[in-house]
C-alpha cells in the first residue's frame, strides 16, 4: 500500500489433525487468497501444518517428515507472490524437535524462528516433546538450501522503509520478558505471533488486552493468529481468536470459534514517527541477523478496511466515553484547585459567552470551588455583548450562571470598541481582522482588570484546537492566568 501502510492478516485455517498435506493445501489456498486481496503480510497459527494437539505423534518420524515436506511445498507455492507468510510446524534440527515459525515468500524459505518459552503447567506439556529455542542464529539445510535458524532474526522489507518483521510464538508473549521486546529494540516494527491459545471463560478479554498492551509498550504493529477448528478437543478447546493491534489500538479481531482472515492496515510510517519522538526509546540488538525481502507491487491505491474514528479523542463505547469524560473533568478541576490553593486565591473571573468553551470552563471552575469549599459567589462570570452577539448565547450564559449560583455581570462593550475605532481610525463598517480582534482584546482587558479588582485570577476558556490552529486573538482571548481547557480538543469540549 501507499504512504507507509501495510495490509496484514491473521489467518486461522480449518485443519485436519495430523494431515499435513490437507493442511498445506489450505494454507496455500489462503496465501493465494491473501495475494488477491493485496495483503502483504500474513500470520498462521502455531503448528498449523500438523495441528497443535497431535500429542505423542510429534515424536513420530512420519509426522515430522511430512511437515518438513509440506513446508517446502508451501514455500514453492509462493513463487511469484508478494505475500510474506509465516507458518507453524514442528521441525527436527539434529536430534531435537522445535516449535517453529517459518517465514516464506516468493518461492523461498527466508528463515525459521523457534519458540523460546515452552509451557509445561496446567493443561500444557510442551516440554514433553519440544526443545527450547535458542536466541543465536545458525544455518540449517532445508530442501538443499541454507536457511537461518534462531530467535535473533528480523525480516526487513526493501520497498517499504521501516517495515521490519519479528516473530514470537504463543507463550513467548505471556512471559515477563517476551522476545518481541528485544526484537523491537533491534528494529522490528511489526511482530507476528503464531499461537494456539485454548479458550477459557474470560480469557478472550485478557488475550485482547495482552496483545493491545504489548503493541503499545513496543510502539509496534502486532498480528496474533490463533488455532481453531480441527484441533482435538480432548483436553482443550480452541476458538481461532485472531487480533491485530497498532500502538495500543485494537484494529481488528475475529469472532470466537470462527476461521479465515482477520485483516487490517498497519501504519508503519506512524510507528516510525512515534519512535522518533520518544527519546527514551533506545536502540539495541546489533547482533541480530537481518534477512532482506521485497515486494514487486507496494504502491497500490487500496481502500482501507480499518476503521478511523470520526472523533479520535473520544471513546466510541458509551460507558467508556462517560468514564473518560468524568475523568477529564476531574483532571481539569483538580489542576485548577492546586493553582488556587498554591496562590491562596478564592476568586475567579471568566468571560462567559454562552458558547462551548466558556461553558466547560465555568463548569470546571464551579466544580473546583465546590470541592475546595469556596463560596460560588467568588466566581464572577462576565458576559460582554458587542457586534453580532446573539440573544440565544446571551440567554445561555445568564441561565448557566444562575443555575450554578455564581456572580454574574453584563458589560456591553460596543461603545468602548467604537471609541477605540475612532482612536485608531478604524471604519466600523469594515469587518476585517482589526474589527474582530478589537472586540477580543477589549474583553480581555476587562477580565484582567476585574480580576485585579476582585483579587482573583482570569480563567482561560480557549481549547487545544483553537490554540494549536491559531484560532485565538493574540494578546486577546489567548491570554489568561490559568487555562483549564488548554489540553482539551474542540470535539471533546462538546
Amino acid at each position: 500500500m501507499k504512504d507507509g501502510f501495510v495490509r496484514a492478516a491473521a489467518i486461522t485455517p480449518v485443519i485436519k489433525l495430523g494431515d499435513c498435506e490437507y493442511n498445506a493445501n489450505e494454507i496455500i489456498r489462503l496465501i493465494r487468497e491473501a495475494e488477491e486481496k493485496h495483503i502483504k503480510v500474513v500470520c498462521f497459527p502455531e503448528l498449523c501444518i500438523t495441528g497443535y494437539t497431535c500429542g505423542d505423534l510429534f515424536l513420530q518420524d512420519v509426522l515430522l517428515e511430512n511437515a518438513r515436506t509440506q513446508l517446502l511445498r508451501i514455500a514453492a507455492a509462493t513463487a511469484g507472490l508478494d505475500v510474506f507468510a509465516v507458518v507453524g510446524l514442528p521441525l527436527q534440527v539434529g536430534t531435537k524437535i522445535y516449535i517453529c515459525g517459518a517465514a516464506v515468500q516468493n518461492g523461498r524459505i527466508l528463515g525459521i524462528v523457534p519458540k523460546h518459552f515452552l509451557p509445561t503447567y496446567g493443561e500444557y506439556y510442551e516440554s514433553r516433546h519440544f526443545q527450547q529455542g535458542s536466541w543465536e542464529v545458525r544455518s540449517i539445510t532445508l530442501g538443499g538450501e541454507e536457511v537461518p535458524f534462531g530467535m535473533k532474526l528480523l525480516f526487513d522489507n526493501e520497498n517499504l522503509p521501516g517495515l521490519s518483521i519479528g516473530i514470537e510464538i504463543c507463550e513467548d508473549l505471556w512471559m515477563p520478558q517476551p522476545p518481541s521486546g528485544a526484537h523491537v529494540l533491534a528494529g522490528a516494527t511489526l511482530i507476528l505471533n503464531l499461537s494456539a491459545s485454548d479458550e477459557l471463560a474470560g480469557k478472550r478479554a485478557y488475550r485482547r488486552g495482552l496483545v493491545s498492551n504489548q503493541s503499545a509498550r513496543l510502539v509496534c504493529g502486532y498480528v496474533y493468529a490463533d488455532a481453531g477448528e480441527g484441533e482435538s478437543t480432548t483436553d482443550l478447546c480452541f476458538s481461532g481468536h485472531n487480533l491485530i493491534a497498532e500502538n495500543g489500538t485494537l484494529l481488528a479481531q475475529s469472532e470466537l470459534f470462527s476461521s479465515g482472515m482477520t485483516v487490517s492496515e498497519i501504519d508503519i510510517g506512524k510507528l516510525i514517527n512515534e519512535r522518533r519522538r520518544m527519546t527514551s526509546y533506545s536502540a539495541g540488538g546489533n547482533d541480530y541477523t537481518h534477512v532482506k525481502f521485497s515486494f514487486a507491487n507496494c504502491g497500490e491505491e487500496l481502500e482501507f478496511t480499518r476503521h478511523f474514528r470520526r472523533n479520535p479523542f473520544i471513546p466510541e463505547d458509551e460507558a467508556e466515553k462517560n468514564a473518560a469524560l468524568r475523568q477529564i473533568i476531574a483532571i481539569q478541576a483538580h489542576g485548577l484547585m492546586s493553582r488556587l490553593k498554591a496562590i491562596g486565591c478564592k476568586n475567579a473571573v471568566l468571560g462567559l459567552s454562552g458558547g462551548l468553551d466558556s461553558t466547560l470552563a465555568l463548569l470546571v471552575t464551579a466544580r473546583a470551588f465546590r470541592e475546595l469549599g469556596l463560596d460560588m459567589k467568588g466566581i464572577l462570570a462576565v458576559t460582554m455583548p458587542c457586534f453580532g452577539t446573539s440573544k440565544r448565547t446571551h440567554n445561555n450564559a445568564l441561565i448557566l450562571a444562575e443555575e450554578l449560583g455564581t456572580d454574574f455581570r453584563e458589560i456591553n462593550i460596543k461603545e468602548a470598541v467604537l471609541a477605540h475605532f475612532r482612536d485608531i481610525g478604524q471604519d466600523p463598517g469594515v469587518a476585517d481582522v482589526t474589527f474582530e480582534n478589537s472586540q477580543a482584546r477589549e474583553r480581555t482587558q476587562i477580565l484582567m482588570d476585574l480580576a485585579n479588582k476582585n483579587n482573583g485570577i482570569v480563567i482561560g476558556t480557549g481549547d487545544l484546537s483553537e490554540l494549536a490552529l491559531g484560532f485565538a486573538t493574540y494578546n486577546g482571548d489567548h491570554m489568561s492566568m490559568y487555562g483549564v481547557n488548554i489540553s482539551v480538543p474542540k470535539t471533546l469540549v462538546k
Side-chain angles (χ1 to χ4, degrees):
M1 295 186 70
K2 295 182 67 176
D3 303 318
F5 286 89
V6 61
R7 180 170 288 173
I11 304 179
T12 299
V14 177
I15 68 161
K16 290 184 178 180
L17 195 61
D19 191 339
C20 298
E21 184 176 358
Y22 175 88
N23 297 337
N25 288 339
E26 277 298 289
I27 291 167
I28 291 168
R29 180 184 68 80
L30 288 163
I31 289 174
R32 288 173 176 164
E33 183 180 331
E35 178 82 4
E36 293 173 1
K37 293 180 177 178
H38 305 281
I39 298 169
K40 296 300 184 186
V41 179
V42 299
C43 182
F44 287 89
E46 183 177 10
L47 295 171
C48 58
I49 292 179
T50 58
Y52 177 78
T53 50
C54 288
D56 283 354
L57 290 178
F58 285 124
L59 302 175
Q60 299 296 315
D61 288 341
V62 172
L63 187 69
L64 295 173
E65 290 169 4
N66 281 345
R68 182 184 291 245
T69 298
Q70 295 308 317
L71 171 62
L72 294 172
R73 189 163 74 89
I74 292 168
T78 65
L81 304 183
D82 260 1
V83 176
F84 175 97
V86 179
V87 297
L89 78 158
L91 185 66
Q92 182 170 324
V93 179
T95 60
K96 302 300 181 183
I97 309 171
Y98 299 86
I99 297 175
C100 295
V104 300
Q105 196 243 6
N106 196 18
R108 299 169 50 216
I109 300 175
L110 300 180
I112 296 179
V113 177
K115 184 175 184 177
H116 187 63
F117 294 104
L118 303 177
T120 307
Y121 57 85
E123 63 268 39
Y124 301 106
Y125 48 93
E126 289 181 12
S127 293
R128 176 182 175 90
H129 309 113
F130 301 106
Q131 181 77 17
Q132 185 180 60
S134 171
W135 282 94
E136 300 309 312
V137 176
R138 55 188 166 122
S139 182
I140 63 173
T141 303
L142 275 175
E145 299 288 336
E146 294 297 308
V147 177
F149 173 84
M151 291 168 60
K152 288 186 176 180
L153 262 182
L154 293 182
F155 303 91
D156 300 340
N157 186 265
E158 297 181 299
N159 308 105
L160 180 54
L163 175 58
S164 181
I165 301 172
I167 297 169
E168 63 185 3
I169 302 174
C170 199
E171 184 78 1
D172 289 345
L173 171 62
W174 300 69
M175 291 295 98
Q177 290 184 307
S180 51
H183 295 343
V184 299
L185 291 178
T189 51
L190 177 59
I191 301 296
L192 306 183
N193 187 312
L194 304 85
S195 184
S197 178
D198 61 318
E199 202 55 53
L200 301 169
K203 194 172 183 180
R204 176 178 182 266
Y206 187 89
R207 191 187 296 117
R208 184 175 59 227
L210 190 66
V211 170
S212 296
N213 289 336
Q214 186 71 351
S215 74
R217 290 178 60 247
L218 304 184
V219 193
C220 72
Y222 203 104
V223 178
Y224 181 96
D226 191 19
E229 187 176 346
E231 294 286 357
S232 169
T233 58
T234 300
D235 299 311
L236 309 171
C237 192
F238 298 88
S239 66
H241 185 205
N242 294 337
L243 300 152
I244 301 178
E246 174 194 280
N247 196 19
T249 299
L250 186 66
L251 301 180
Q253 69 173 321
S254 65
E255 296 294 329
L256 295 187
F257 303 104
S258 61
S259 59
M261 296 185 183
T262 301
V263 183
S264 192
E265 293 78 32
I266 295 171
D267 190 347
I268 300 298
K270 177 183 176 182
L271 296 172
I272 294 295
N273 183 261
E274 286 295 314
R275 291 183 183 182
R276 186 183 300 132
R277 292 172 54 250
M278 294 175 62
T279 56
S280 58
Y281 194 102
S282 60
N286 295 328
D287 54 346
Y288 267 67
T289 298
H290 292 259
V291 179
K292 304 291 184 182
F293 72 101
S294 61
F295 295 139
N297 300 298
C298 62
E300 306 104 317
E301 287 278 4
L302 302 178
E303 291 187 10
F304 283 101
T305 62
R306 67 184 280 179
H307 171 62
F308 289 92
R309 290 189 292 169
R310 184 186 182 110
N311 295 316
F313 303 106
I314 306 172
E316 293 181 303
D317 178 80
E318 193 67 21
E320 290 181 11
K321 180 180 75 172
N322 289 334
L325 296 179
R326 285 192 295 270
Q327 184 181 26
I328 290 164
I329 287 280
I331 292 170
Q332 291 178 275
H334 279 79
L336 178 57
M337 288 164 60
S338 295
R339 175 56 58 89
L340 292 170
K341 285 191 290 185
I343 62 177
C345 182
K346 298 182 179 180
N347 296 290
V349 178
L350 63 81
L352 186 63
S353 68
L356 291 175
D357 291 342
S358 62
T359 297
L360 177 59
L362 182 56
L363 291 170
V364 168
T365 305
R367 174 163 175 168
F369 269 60
R370 280 197 301 271
E371 296 206 17
L372 287 172
L374 298 177
D375 186 352
M376 295 299 287
K377 292 298 182 182
I379 303 173
L380 175 58
V382 186
T383 184
M384 294 165 280
C386 193
F387 318 116
T389 300
S390 71
K391 186 176 182 180
R392 181 183 65 84
T393 55
H394 176 270
N395 289 340
N396 286 346
L398 178 60
I399 293 169
L400 183 63
E402 288 177 348
E403 290 290 331
L404 292 173
T406 70
D407 197 2
F408 179 80
R409 187 176 305 182
E410 178 178 330
I411 301 174
N412 193 303
I413 64 170
K414 181 177 180 180
E415 291 304 320
V417 173
L418 288 173
H420 180 59
F421 285 170
R422 289 193 294 272
D423 291 341
I424 65 172
Q426 170 71 17
D427 183 354
V430 179
D432 57 8
V433 67
T434 305
F435 177 89
E436 296 293 343
N437 286 348
S438 293
Q439 298 176 70
R441 292 192 177 108
E442 178 63 24
R443 290 186 173 107
T444 300
Q445 174 182 262
I446 290 172
L447 294 174
M448 291 289 183
D449 291 343
L450 283 173
N452 292 158
K453 187 176 181 181
N454 289 276
N455 194 29
I457 60 173
V458 175
I459 305 299
T461 61
D463 64 62
L464 174 61
S465 301
E466 291 182 340
L467 293 162
L469 297 171
F471 292 165
T473 298
Y474 190 69
N475 207 34
D477 53 308
H478 94 291
M479 301 280 290
S480 69
M481 295 165 182
Y482 197 84
V484 293
N485 293 340
I486 188 65
S487 296
V488 187
K490 191 73 171 184
T491 50
L492 190 54
V493 170
K494 186 174 182 179

